[in-house]
Amino acid sequence: MAGVPRVRRRVDGVLLLDKPVGMTSNGALQAAKRLLEAEKAGHTGTLDPFASGLLPLCFGDATKFAQMLLDADKSYDATVHFGIGTSTGDHDGDVTKRAAADFDRAAIESMLPRFLGTIAQIPPMYSALKRDGRPYYEYARMGIDLARVPREAQIHSLALDDWSPPLARISVRCGKGTYVRVLAEDLGHALGSCAHLAALRRTSTGGFAVADAVTLDMLADMAADARRALLAPAESLLADMPPVDVDDATATALRQGKVVAAPSLAAGRYRCRDPRRVLVGVVEAAGGALRGHRLCRTDPAENALAPLAPRD
């Protein structure tokens, strides 16, 4: 109802969202944030509007550990359209080149090993990378083509799942910062043709899979309690980090910003839990001492769903 302020609540956890085609990552985040009436939220790696698939969303304390998923490996199902190049490297761009795509499946498969491991990619002009405080895509829209420095990308696996000329469906597992659009274009060039990305779907991020995700429509049809029950704990973002359990006195000291003795703990970062297995946060051991690196709020359980002051 117009004029009625929305309630924002303390919500902690990770929501696995299956982002639809045609929506920006921020648009999807804001829609989910409204449905959960959440006070604080962020996503863990942008998906272009034309792409769909897994977009983990972090709420409350989980936003403090979102970098873990930003840095994580990701998997995609990519549909590459050979024989046509576009201004953006995907199907939303203007056609800039046409070429024959008369190769067979074996030719594509023989080329894939070239792109495994550490490769160099020239970032696309239609990207969020910035020059002098402005994203590349703003320069591209003004017709300015900037000189770009190649960047390293990690391709862990590539497989041709289907070849229905001129479309190839390829599964990709890669490291952070990899441009699948550029991979499609470079593959087209390597085959003596050109190519663009016709479709892209993210299937996994770190240890999370799109099979476990929900759509915005599914979320909208749920009751409020059911929506919040979908949230994985913030600690799920730290699954690859070694745990360290501490007693109440140590947990209290760490939460107060104090340094505590830990002579037997190897140097490094840990996910720290108190005796009730409540996440204290990420702590760092060095020189026989333990200190907080990024800590959760001290009252997660009793205030997780407590309403905050309404805001317009």
Side-chain angles (χ1 to χ4, degrees), residues 5-85:
R6 293 195 300 270
V7 174
R8 294 299 189 206
R9 300 178 184 275
R10 172 76 188 284
V11 177
D12 290 323
V14 183
L15 177 71
L16 303 183
L17 185 71
D18 187 345
K19 187 191 84 68
V21 171
M23 178 176 277
T24 66
S25 293
N26 186 60
L29 170 68
Q30 296 306 321
K33 184 179 177 182
R34 286 192 296 271
L35 288 168
L36 284 162
E37 299 179 324
E39 194 270 339
K40 183 178 182 182
H43 63 68
T44 57
T46 300
L47 269 177
D48 289 333
F50 84 94
S52 69
L54 183 61
L55 183 68
L57 304 179
C58 293
F59 297 89
D61 272 341
T63 61
K64 298 176 181 179
F65 314 115
Q67 190 65 43
M68 302 298 293
L69 282 189
L70 287 169
D71 294 340
D73 291 344
K74 298 172 177 63
S75 297
Y76 298 91
D77 283 340
T79 301
V80 181
H81 188 147
F82 289 100
I84 296 177

Coordinates of all heavy atoms in Angstrom, one line a residue, residues 5-85:
P5 N 5.3 2.5 5.3 CA 6.8 2.2 5.4 C 7.0 0.7 5.4 O 6.3 0.0 6.1 CB 7.2 2.9 6.6 CG 6.0 3.0 7.5 CD 4.9 3.2 6.6
R6 N 8.1 0.3 4.8 CA 8.5 -1.1 4.8 C 9.3 -1.4 6.1 O 10.1 -0.5 6.5 CB 9.3 -1.5 3.6 CG 8.6 -1.4 2.3 CD 9.3 -2.2 1.2 NE 10.6 -1.6 0.9 CZ 10.8 -0.6 0.1 NH1 9.8 -0.1 -0.6 NH2 12.1 -0.1 -0.1
V7 N 9.1 -2.6 6.6 CA 9.9 -3.0 7.8 C 11.2 -3.6 7.3 O 11.2 -4.5 6.4 CB 9.1 -3.9 8.7 CG1 9.9 -4.5 9.8 CG2 7.9 -3.2 9.2
R8 N 12.3 -3.3 7.9 CA 13.6 -3.9 7.6 C 13.9 -4.8 8.9 O 13.9 -4.3 10.0 CB 14.7 -2.9 7.4 CG 14.4 -2.1 6.1 CD 14.4 -3.0 4.9 NE 14.4 -2.3 3.6 CZ 13.9 -2.8 2.5 NH1 13.3 -4.0 2.5 NH2 14.0 -2.0 1.4
R9 N 14.3 -6.0 8.6 CA 14.6 -6.9 9.7 C 16.1 -7.3 9.7 O 16.7 -7.3 8.7 CB 13.7 -8.2 9.6 CG 12.2 -7.9 9.7 CD 11.4 -9.2 9.6 NE 10.0 -8.9 9.5 CZ 9.2 -8.8 10.6 NH1 9.8 -8.9 11.8 NH2 7.9 -8.5 10.5
R10 N 16.5 -7.8 10.9 CA 17.9 -8.4 11.0 C 17.8 -9.8 10.4 O 17.1 -10.7 11.0 CB 18.3 -8.4 12.4 CG 19.6 -9.2 12.6 CD 20.8 -8.5 12.2 NE 22.0 -9.3 12.2 CZ 22.7 -9.6 13.3 NH1 22.2 -9.2 14.5 NH2 23.7 -10.4 13.2
V11 N 18.3 -10.0 9.3 CA 18.4 -11.3 8.6 C 19.8 -11.7 8.3 O 20.5 -10.9 7.7 CB 17.6 -11.3 7.3 CG1 17.6 -12.6 6.6 CG2 16.1 -10.9 7.5
D12 N 20.2 -12.9 8.8 CA 21.6 -13.4 8.5 C 21.5 -14.6 7.7 O 20.7 -15.5 8.0 CB 22.3 -13.7 9.9 CG 22.6 -12.4 10.7 OD1 22.9 -11.4 10.1 OD2 22.5 -12.5 11.9
G13 N 22.4 -14.8 6.8 CA 22.5 -16.0 6.0 C 22.8 -15.8 4.5 O 22.9 -14.7 4.0
V14 N 22.7 -16.9 3.8 CA 23.0 -17.0 2.4 C 21.8 -17.6 1.7 O 21.4 -18.7 2.0 CB 24.3 -17.8 2.1 CG1 24.6 -17.8 0.6 CG2 25.5 -17.3 2.9
L15 N 21.3 -16.9 0.7 CA 20.2 -17.4 -0.2 C 20.8 -17.7 -1.5 O 21.5 -16.9 -2.2 CB 19.2 -16.3 -0.3 CG 18.0 -16.7 -1.3 CD1 17.1 -17.7 -0.6 CD2 17.2 -15.4 -1.6
L16 N 20.5 -18.9 -2.0 CA 20.9 -19.3 -3.3 C 19.8 -19.0 -4.3 O 18.8 -19.7 -4.3 CB 21.3 -20.8 -3.3 CG 22.3 -21.3 -2.4 CD1 22.6 -22.8 -2.5 CD2 23.6 -20.5 -2.5
L17 N 20.1 -18.0 -5.1 CA 19.0 -17.6 -6.1 C 19.4 -18.0 -7.5 O 20.5 -17.9 -7.9 CB 18.9 -16.0 -6.0 CG 17.8 -15.4 -6.9 CD1 16.5 -15.7 -6.3 CD2 18.1 -13.9 -7.1
D18 N 18.4 -18.4 -8.2 CA 18.5 -18.7 -9.6 C 18.0 -17.5 -10.4 O 16.9 -17.3 -10.6 CB 17.7 -19.9 -10.0 CG 17.9 -20.4 -11.4 OD1 18.5 -19.7 -12.2 OD2 17.4 -21.5 -11.8
K19 N 19.0 -16.6 -10.8 CA 18.7 -15.4 -11.4 C 18.1 -15.6 -12.8 O 18.6 -16.4 -13.6 CB 19.9 -14.5 -11.6 CG 19.6 -13.1 -12.1 CD 20.9 -12.3 -12.5 CE 21.3 -12.6 -13.9 NZ 20.4 -12.1 -14.9
P20 N 17.0 -14.9 -13.2 CA 16.5 -15.1 -14.5 C 17.2 -14.3 -15.6 O 17.9 -13.3 -15.3 CB 15.0 -14.6 -14.3 CG 15.2 -13.5 -13.3 CD 16.2 -14.0 -12.3
V21 N 17.0 -14.7 -16.8 CA 17.5 -13.9 -17.9 C 16.8 -12.6 -18.0 O 15.6 -12.5 -17.7 CB 17.3 -14.7 -19.3 CG1 17.6 -13.8 -20.5 CG2 18.2 -16.0 -19.3
G22 N 17.5 -11.5 -18.3 CA 16.9 -10.2 -18.5 C 16.9 -9.3 -17.3 O 16.5 -8.1 -17.3
M23 N 17.4 -9.8 -16.2 CA 17.5 -9.0 -14.9 C 18.9 -8.8 -14.5 O 19.8 -9.7 -14.6 CB 16.7 -9.7 -13.8 CG 16.7 -9.0 -12.5 SD 15.7 -9.8 -11.2 CE 14.1 -9.2 -11.6
T24 N 19.3 -7.6 -14.0 CA 20.6 -7.4 -13.5 C 20.8 -8.1 -12.2 O 19.8 -8.4 -11.5 CB 20.9 -5.9 -13.3 OG1 20.0 -5.4 -12.3 CG2 20.6 -5.1 -14.6
S25 N 22.0 -8.3 -11.8 CA 22.3 -8.9 -10.5 C 21.8 -8.1 -9.4 O 21.3 -8.6 -8.4 CB 23.8 -9.2 -10.4 OG 24.2 -10.2 -11.3
N26 N 22.0 -6.8 -9.5 CA 21.5 -5.9 -8.5 C 20.0 -5.8 -8.4 O 19.4 -5.8 -7.3 CB 22.1 -4.4 -8.7 CG 21.7 -3.5 -7.5 OD1 22.1 -3.8 -6.4 ND2 21.0 -2.5 -7.8
G27 N 19.4 -5.9 -9.6 CA 17.9 -6.0 -9.6 C 17.4 -7.2 -8.9 O 16.4 -7.1 -8.1
A28 N 18.0 -8.3 -9.1 CA 17.7 -9.6 -8.4 C 17.9 -9.5 -6.9 O 17.1 -9.9 -6.1 CB 18.5 -10.7 -9.0
L29 N 19.0 -8.9 -6.6 CA 19.3 -8.7 -5.1 C 18.3 -7.8 -4.4 O 17.8 -8.2 -3.4 CB 20.7 -8.0 -5.0 CG 21.1 -7.5 -3.6 CD1 21.3 -8.7 -2.7 CD2 22.4 -6.7 -3.6
Q30 N 17.9 -6.7 -5.1 CA 16.9 -5.8 -4.4 C 15.6 -6.5 -4.3 O 14.9 -6.3 -3.3 CB 16.8 -4.5 -5.2 CG 18.1 -3.7 -5.3 CD 18.7 -3.4 -3.9 OE1 17.9 -3.1 -2.9 NE2 20.0 -3.5 -3.7
A31 N 15.2 -7.3 -5.3 CA 13.9 -8.0 -5.3 C 13.9 -9.0 -4.1 O 12.9 -9.1 -3.3 CB 13.6 -8.7 -6.6
A32 N 15.0 -9.8 -4.0 CA 15.1 -10.7 -2.9 C 15.1 -10.0 -1.5 O 14.5 -10.5 -0.5 CB 16.3 -11.6 -3.1
K33 N 15.8 -8.9 -1.5 CA 16.0 -8.2 -0.2 C 14.6 -7.7 0.2 O 14.3 -7.7 1.4 CB 16.9 -7.0 -0.5 CG 17.2 -6.1 0.8 CD 18.2 -5.0 0.4 CE 18.5 -4.1 1.6 NZ 19.4 -3.0 1.3
R34 N 13.8 -7.2 -0.7 CA 12.4 -6.8 -0.3 C 11.6 -7.9 0.2 O 10.8 -7.8 1.2 CB 11.7 -6.1 -1.6 CG 12.2 -4.7 -1.9 CD 11.3 -4.0 -2.9 NE 11.3 -4.7 -4.2 CZ 12.2 -4.5 -5.2 NH1 13.1 -3.6 -5.0 NH2 12.1 -5.1 -6.3
L35 N 11.7 -9.1 -0.5 CA 10.8 -10.2 -0.1 C 11.2 -10.7 1.3 O 10.4 -11.2 2.1 CB 11.0 -11.3 -1.1 CG 10.3 -11.1 -2.5 CD1 10.8 -12.1 -3.5 CD2 8.8 -11.1 -2.3
L36 N 12.5 -10.6 1.6 CA 13.0 -11.1 2.9 C 12.9 -9.9 4.0 O 13.2 -10.2 5.2 CB 14.4 -11.6 2.8 CG 14.6 -13.0 2.2 CD1 16.0 -13.2 1.8 CD2 14.1 -14.0 3.2
E37 N 12.5 -8.7 3.6 CA 12.5 -7.6 4.4 C 13.8 -7.4 5.1 O 13.9 -7.0 6.3 CB 11.4 -7.7 5.5 CG 10.0 -7.9 4.9 CD 8.9 -8.0 5.9 OE1 9.1 -8.7 6.9 OE2 7.8 -7.5 5.7
A38 N 14.9 -7.6 4.4 CA 16.2 -7.6 5.0 C 16.8 -6.2 5.1 O 16.6 -5.4 4.2 CB 17.2 -8.5 4.2
E39 N 17.6 -6.0 6.1 CA 18.2 -4.7 6.4 C 19.5 -4.5 5.6 O 19.8 -3.4 5.2 CB 18.4 -4.5 7.9 CG 18.7 -3.1 8.3 CD 20.2 -2.8 8.3 OE1 21.0 -3.7 8.3 OE2 20.5 -1.6 8.3
K40 N 20.2 -5.6 5.4 CA 21.5 -5.5 4.8 C 21.8 -6.7 3.9 O 21.5 -7.8 4.3 CB 22.7 -5.4 5.8 CG 24.1 -5.2 5.2 CD 25.1 -5.1 6.4 CE 26.5 -4.9 5.8 NZ 27.5 -4.8 6.9
A41 N 22.2 -6.4 2.6 CA 22.4 -7.5 1.7 C 23.4 -7.2 0.6 O 23.7 -6.0 0.4 CB 21.1 -7.8 1.0
G42 N 24.0 -8.2 0.0 CA 25.0 -8.0 -1.1 C 25.1 -9.3 -1.9 O 24.7 -10.4 -1.4
H43 N 25.5 -9.2 -3.2 CA 25.6 -10.4 -3.9 C 27.1 -10.8 -4.0 O 28.0 -10.1 -3.6 CB 25.0 -10.4 -5.3 CG 25.5 -9.3 -6.2 ND1 26.8 -9.4 -6.8 CD2 25.0 -8.2 -6.7 CE1 27.0 -8.3 -7.5 NE2 25.9 -7.6 -7.5
T44 N 27.4 -12.0 -4.7 CA 28.8 -12.5 -4.6 C 29.3 -12.8 -6.0 O 29.9 -13.8 -6.2 CB 28.8 -13.8 -3.8 OG1 27.8 -14.7 -4.4 CG2 28.3 -13.6 -2.4
G45 N 29.1 -11.8 -6.9 CA 29.7 -12.0 -8.2 C 28.6 -11.7 -9.3 O 27.7 -12.5 -9.4
T46 N 28.8 -10.7 -10.1 CA 27.8 -10.2 -11.0 C 27.6 -11.2 -12.1 O 28.6 -11.8 -12.7 CB 28.3 -8.9 -11.6 OG1 28.4 -7.9 -10.6 CG2 27.2 -8.4 -12.6
L47 N 26.3 -11.4 -12.5 CA 25.9 -12.1 -13.7 C 25.3 -11.1 -14.6 O 24.5 -10.3 -14.2 CB 24.9 -13.2 -13.4 CG 25.3 -14.6 -13.0 CD1 24.1 -15.5 -12.7 CD2 26.1 -15.2 -14.2
D48 N 25.8 -11.1 -15.9 CA 25.2 -10.2 -16.9 C 23.7 -10.4 -17.0 O 23.2 -11.5 -16.8 CB 25.9 -10.4 -18.2 CG 27.4 -9.9 -18.2 OD1 27.7 -9.0 -17.4 OD2 28.2 -10.4 -19.0
P49 N 23.0 -9.3 -17.4 CA 21.5 -9.5 -17.6 C 21.1 -10.6 -18.5 O 20.1 -11.3 -18.3 CB 21.1 -8.1 -18.2 CG 22.1 -7.2 -17.6 CD 23.4 -7.9 -17.6
F50 N 21.9 -10.9 -19.6 CA 21.5 -11.9 -20.5 C 21.8 -13.3 -20.0 O 21.3 -14.3 -20.5 CB 22.2 -11.8 -21.9 CG 23.6 -12.4 -21.9 CD1 23.8 -13.7 -22.4 CD2 24.7 -11.7 -21.5 CE1 25.1 -14.2 -22.4 CE2 26.0 -12.2 -21.5 CZ 26.1 -13.5 -22.0
A51 N 22.5 -13.4 -18.9 CA 22.8 -14.7 -18.3 C 21.9 -15.1 -17.2 O 21.2 -14.2 -16.6 CB 24.3 -14.7 -17.7
S52 N 21.8 -16.4 -16.9 CA 20.9 -16.9 -15.8 C 21.8 -17.7 -14.9 O 23.0 -18.0 -15.1 CB 19.8 -17.7 -16.4 OG 20.2 -18.9 -16.9
G53 N 21.1 -18.2 -13.8 CA 21.8 -19.2 -13.0 C 22.1 -18.7 -11.6 O 21.6 -17.7 -11.1
L54 N 23.1 -19.4 -11.0 CA 23.3 -19.3 -9.5 C 23.9 -17.9 -9.2 O 25.0 -17.5 -9.7 CB 24.3 -20.4 -9.1 CG 24.6 -20.4 -7.6 CD1 23.3 -20.6 -6.8 CD2 25.7 -21.4 -7.3
L55 N 23.2 -17.2 -8.3 CA 23.6 -15.9 -7.7 C 23.5 -16.0 -6.2 O 22.4 -15.7 -5.7 CB 22.8 -14.8 -8.3 CG 23.2 -13.4 -7.9 CD1 24.6 -13.0 -8.5 CD2 22.2 -12.3 -8.3
P56 N 24.5 -16.4 -5.5 CA 24.4 -16.4 -4.0 C 24.2 -15.0 -3.5 O 25.0 -14.1 -3.8 CB 25.7 -17.1 -3.6 CG 26.2 -17.8 -4.8 CD 25.8 -17.0 -5.9
L57 N 23.3 -14.8 -2.6 CA 23.0 -13.5 -2.0 C 23.3 -13.6 -0.5 O 22.9 -14.6 0.2 CB 21.6 -13.1 -2.2 CG 21.1 -13.1 -3.7 CD1 19.6 -12.6 -3.7 CD2 21.9 -12.1 -4.5
C58 N 24.0 -12.6 0.0 CA 24.4 -12.6 1.4 C 23.6 -11.6 2.2 O 23.4 -10.5 1.7 CB 25.9 -12.3 1.6 SG 27.0 -13.6 0.9
F59 N 23.2 -11.9 3.4 CA 22.4 -11.0 4.2 C 23.0 -10.9 5.6 O 23.6 -11.9 6.1 CB 21.0 -11.6 4.3 CG 20.2 -11.6 3.1 CD1 20.3 -12.7 2.3 CD2 19.5 -10.5 2.6 CE1 19.6 -12.8 1.0 CE2 18.8 -10.5 1.4 CZ 18.9 -11.7 0.6
G60 N 23.0 -9.7 6.1 CA 23.5 -9.5 7.5 C 24.9 -9.9 7.6 O 25.8 -9.4 6.9
D61 N 25.2 -10.7 8.7 CA 26.6 -11.1 8.9 C 27.3 -11.8 7.8 O 28.5 -11.7 7.6 CB 26.7 -12.0 10.2 CG 26.8 -11.2 11.5 OD1 27.2 -10.0 11.4 OD2 26.5 -11.8 12.5
A62 N 26.5 -12.5 6.9 CA 27.1 -13.2 5.8 C 27.8 -12.2 4.8 O 28.7 -12.7 4.1 CB 26.0 -14.0 5.1
T63 N 27.3 -11.0 4.8 CA 28.0 -10.0 3.8 C 29.5 -9.8 4.2 O 30.3 -9.4 3.3 CB 27.3 -8.7 3.8 OG1 27.3 -8.1 5.2 CG2 25.8 -8.8 3.4
K64 N 29.8 -10.1 5.5 CA 31.2 -9.9 5.9 C 32.1 -10.9 5.3 O 33.4 -10.7 5.2 CB 31.3 -9.9 7.4 CG 30.5 -8.9 8.1 CD 30.6 -9.0 9.6 CE 29.7 -7.9 10.3 NZ 29.8 -8.1 11.8
F65 N 31.6 -12.0 4.8 CA 32.4 -13.1 4.3 C 32.1 -13.4 2.8 O 32.5 -14.4 2.3 CB 32.1 -14.4 5.1 CG 32.1 -14.2 6.6 CD1 31.0 -14.3 7.3 CD2 33.3 -13.7 7.2 CE1 31.0 -14.1 8.7 CE2 33.3 -13.5 8.6 CZ 32.2 -13.7 9.3
A66 N 31.5 -12.4 2.1 CA 31.1 -12.6 0.7 C 32.3 -12.7 -0.2 O 32.2 -13.4 -1.2 CB 30.2 -11.4 0.3
Q67 N 33.4 -12.2 0.2 CA 34.7 -12.2 -0.6 C 35.1 -13.7 -0.8 O 35.7 -14.0 -1.9 CB 35.8 -11.5 0.1 CG 37.0 -11.3 -0.8 CD 36.8 -10.4 -2.0 OE1 36.1 -9.4 -1.8 NE2 37.3 -10.8 -3.1
M68 N 34.7 -14.6 0.1 CA 35.1 -16.0 -0.1 C 34.4 -16.5 -1.4 O 35.1 -17.3 -2.1 CB 34.6 -16.8 1.1 CG 35.1 -16.4 2.4 SD 37.0 -16.5 2.5 CE 37.2 -18.2 2.4
L69 N 33.2 -16.1 -1.7 CA 32.6 -16.6 -3.0 C 33.0 -15.8 -4.2 O 33.0 -16.3 -5.3 CB 31.1 -16.6 -2.8 CG 30.5 -17.7 -2.0 CD1 28.9 -17.7 -2.1 CD2 31.0 -19.1 -2.5
L70 N 33.3 -14.5 -3.9 CA 33.9 -13.7 -5.0 C 35.2 -14.3 -5.6 O 35.4 -14.3 -6.8 CB 34.1 -12.3 -4.6 CG 32.9 -11.4 -4.4 CD1 33.2 -10.1 -3.6 CD2 32.2 -11.1 -5.7
D71 N 35.9 -14.9 -4.7 CA 37.2 -15.5 -5.0 C 37.1 -17.0 -5.5 O 38.1 -17.5 -5.9 CB 38.2 -15.4 -3.9 CG 38.6 -14.0 -3.5 OD1 38.4 -13.1 -4.4 OD2 39.0 -13.8 -2.4
A72 N 35.9 -17.5 -5.3 CA 35.8 -19.0 -5.6 C 35.7 -19.3 -7.1 O 35.4 -18.5 -7.9 CB 34.5 -19.5 -4.9
D73 N 36.0 -20.6 -7.4 CA 35.8 -21.1 -8.8 C 34.4 -21.1 -9.1 O 33.5 -21.3 -8.2 CB 36.4 -22.5 -8.9 CG 38.0 -22.5 -8.8 OD1 38.6 -21.4 -9.0 OD2 38.5 -23.6 -8.6
K74 N 34.1 -21.0 -10.4 CA 32.7 -21.0 -10.9 C 32.6 -21.9 -12.1 O 33.5 -22.1 -12.8 CB 32.2 -19.5 -11.2 CG 32.3 -18.6 -10.0 CD 32.0 -17.2 -10.3 CE 32.0 -16.3 -9.1 NZ 33.3 -16.3 -8.4
S75 N 31.4 -22.4 -12.3 CA 31.1 -23.3 -13.4 C 29.9 -22.7 -14.2 O 29.0 -22.1 -13.7 CB 30.8 -24.7 -13.0 OG 31.8 -25.3 -12.3
Y76 N 30.0 -22.9 -15.6 CA 29.0 -22.4 -16.5 C 28.7 -23.4 -17.6 O 29.5 -24.2 -18.0 CB 29.5 -21.1 -17.2 CG 29.9 -20.0 -16.2 CD1 31.2 -19.8 -15.7 CD2 28.9 -19.0 -15.9 CE1 31.5 -18.8 -14.9 CE2 29.3 -17.9 -15.1 CZ 30.5 -17.8 -14.6 OH 30.9 -16.8 -13.7
D77 N 27.4 -23.3 -18.0 CA 27.0 -23.9 -19.3 C 26.9 -22.7 -20.3 O 26.1 -21.8 -20.1 CB 25.7 -24.6 -19.2 CG 25.8 -25.9 -18.5 OD1 26.9 -26.5 -18.5 OD2 24.7 -26.4 -18.0
A78 N 27.8 -22.7 -21.3 CA 27.9 -21.6 -22.3 C 27.4 -22.1 -23.7 O 27.9 -23.2 -24.1 CB 29.3 -21.1 -22.4
T79 N 26.6 -21.4 -24.3 CA 26.2 -21.6 -25.7 C 27.0 -20.7 -26.6 O 26.7 -19.4 -26.5 CB 24.7 -21.5 -25.9 OG1 24.0 -22.5 -25.1 CG2 24.4 -21.8 -27.4
V80 N 27.9 -21.2 -27.5 CA 28.7 -20.4 -28.3 C 28.1 -20.4 -29.7 O 27.9 -21.5 -30.3 CB 30.1 -20.8 -28.3 CG1 31.0 -20.0 -29.2 CG2 30.7 -20.8 -26.9
H81 N 27.9 -19.3 -30.3 CA 27.4 -19.2 -31.7 C 28.5 -18.8 -32.6 O 29.1 -17.7 -32.6 CB 26.3 -18.1 -31.8 CG 25.6 -18.0 -33.1 ND1 24.2 -17.7 -33.2 CD2 26.0 -18.3 -34.4 CE1 23.9 -17.8 -34.5 NE2 24.9 -18.1 -35.2
F82 N 29.0 -19.8 -33.4 CA 30.1 -19.6 -34.3 C 29.6 -18.9 -35.6 O 28.5 -19.1 -36.0 CB 30.8 -20.9 -34.6 CG 31.6 -21.4 -33.5 CD1 31.1 -22.5 -32.7 CD2 32.9 -21.0 -33.2 CE1 31.8 -23.0 -31.6 CE2 33.6 -21.5 -32.1 CZ 33.0 -22.5 -31.3
G83 N 30.5 -18.1 -36.2 CA 30.3 -17.5 -37.5 C 29.7 -16.1 -37.4 O 29.6 -15.4 -38.5
I84 N 29.4 -15.6 -36.2 CA 29.0 -14.3 -36.1 C 29.7 -13.6 -34.9 O 29.7 -14.2 -33.8 CB 27.4 -14.2 -35.8 CG1 26.7 -14.7 -37.1 CG2 27.0 -12.8 -35.5 CD1 25.2 -14.7 -36.9
G85 N 30.3 -12.5 -35.1 CA 30.9 -11.7 -34.0 C 30.0 -10.5 -33.7 O 29.4 -10.0 -34.6

